Amino acid sequence: DTVNCKCIRERITGVECEWVQYKGSDIRNGVIINLHGGGYTLSTHIKLYAQSELLSKITGMAVLCVNYAKSPEYPLPKCVDELVQIYQYVKDVKRVDCSNIFLCGGSAGGGLILLFLQKIATMNITQPCAVWMDAPWTDLSFFNGATKGSKKRNMDLDKVCGGGWLYECGQMAVGNLDADRKKINNFDVKDAKFSPLYGEFDGGLCPMY
C-alpha cells in the first residue's frame, strides 16, 4: 500500500535495513525486527515487505527489515554479530526499551534469532520482549538421522529442502564450502555457534513462539 505505508532505508552499523511503517504506526509503540529466510545464502529483506506492512498495521509498531550478510562470502557468525549490533542500535540510539522490541523470522531467519538470543545471553545484554519463529533452522547438520522417520519419507518429495541443496547451504553457512561448492574447511556444523539446537536454552532466554 504505497498510500498508507512508507518504507525508509537506513544503513545501520554497515548493514542495509529498511523501516516499514503503516499509517498511524510509531516507533514509540515498539519495534519488530524482521528476518528473512533463505538458507543463509539466498533472498533479501525485500521479500518481507508485505508481511512487515501487515505487522505494522496490526500492531502500530515500526518494523525493521534486515538484509543481513549471506554466505559463502560472509559465513556464520557474521550475521549474528550484525544482528547484535542492530539490536543495540535500536535499544541505545533509537532509545526503544527492550520490553518493546520483538523479533520474528522464518527458516534461517528463525535460526538466526536463536543464535542471537544465545549470544546476547552470554554478553549480559537484556533480552527482547519476545520472538516469533516460523520453522527455525536449528540444526545445520541436516542429514543427521535422515535414514529414518519423516525426513527419509519426505526427502524426495520436498522440492525445496530435499536432496543436497539444503546440505550445501549449511556447509556454505559455516564456511566449509566456497561459492563453487569446493571444500575449503572442515568446521563442525553441530557447533553451537552455527546450530542453535546444540546451544544453551537454560540461560534466561526471552519467550519464544
Side-chain angles (χ1 to χ4, degrees):
D1 187 339
T2 57
V3 175
N4 295 306
C5 189
K6 61 181 180 180
C7 299
I8 303 171
R9 293 180 181 177
E10 181 177 4
R11 186 167 290 274
I12 301 175
T13 64
V15 181
E16 181 184 8
C17 300
E18 197 147 358
W19 294 95
V20 178
Q21 292 185 248
Y22 197 82
K23 184 178 181 180
S25 67
D26 197 298
I27 194 172
R28 289 173 294 185
N29 296 332
V31 170
I32 301 171
I33 300 174
N34 201 356
L35 303 163
H36 62 82
Y40 293 112
T41 63
L42 301 172
S43 197
T44 171
H45 65 300
I46 294 174
K47 298 289 187 178
L48 300 173
Y49 281 174
Q51 181 195 52
S52 298
E53 178 184 330
L54 181 60
L55 285 171
S56 182
K57 181 179 181 180
I58 292 173
T59 65
M61 298 180 185
V63 180
L64 180 60
C65 303
V66 179
N67 191 26
Y68 56 85
K70 311 297 189 304
S71 59
E73 291 83 0
Y74 303 102
L76 288 164
K78 171 71 171 178
C79 57
V80 181
D81 295 335
E82 289 180 338
L83 185 53
V84 171
Q85 293 177 336
I86 290 170
Y87 179 72
Q88 290 179 305
Y89 173 85
V90 172
K91 176 172 65 76
D92 299 332
V93 178
K94 292 295 187 178
R95 306 186 75 82
V96 180
D97 192 90
C98 294
S99 62
N100 284 324
I101 302 177
F102 304 80
L103 286 84
C104 68
S107 192
L112 175 54
I113 288 174
L114 289 173
L115 291 172
F116 159 78
L117 295 179
Q118 292 168 344
K119 175 79 171 182
I120 64 172
T122 67
M123 300 171 67
N124 295 317
I125 297 174
T126 303
Q127 297 270 316
C129 182
V131 300
W132 175 84
M133 298 165 290
D134 178 16
W137 196 9
T138 61
D139 183 0
L140 272 63
S141 65
F142 186 64
F143 282 110
N144 181 37
T147 57
K148 59 183 179 181
S150 62
K151 190 179 290 185
K152 175 178 171 56
R153 292 195 303 272
N154 295 320
M155 187 68 68
D156 295 329
L157 301 176
D158 192 329
K159 301 306 179 184
V160 176
C161 297
W165 178 79
L166 195 59
Y167 169 78
E168 290 181 344
C169 285
Q171 293 295 313
M172 287 183 181
V174 305
N176 285 342
L177 295 181
D178 64 15
D180 296 319
R181 294 175 171 77
K182 293 180 181 178
K183 192 173 184 64
I184 54 175
N185 288 301
N186 193 33
F187 297 122
D188 183 4
V189 292
K190 290 186 179 181
D191 190 307
K193 68 175 176 283
F194 304 136
S195 294
L197 179 65
Y198 305 102
E200 181 61 59
F201 283 90
D202 296 325
L205 305 187
C206 72
M208 306 176 196
Y209 301 95

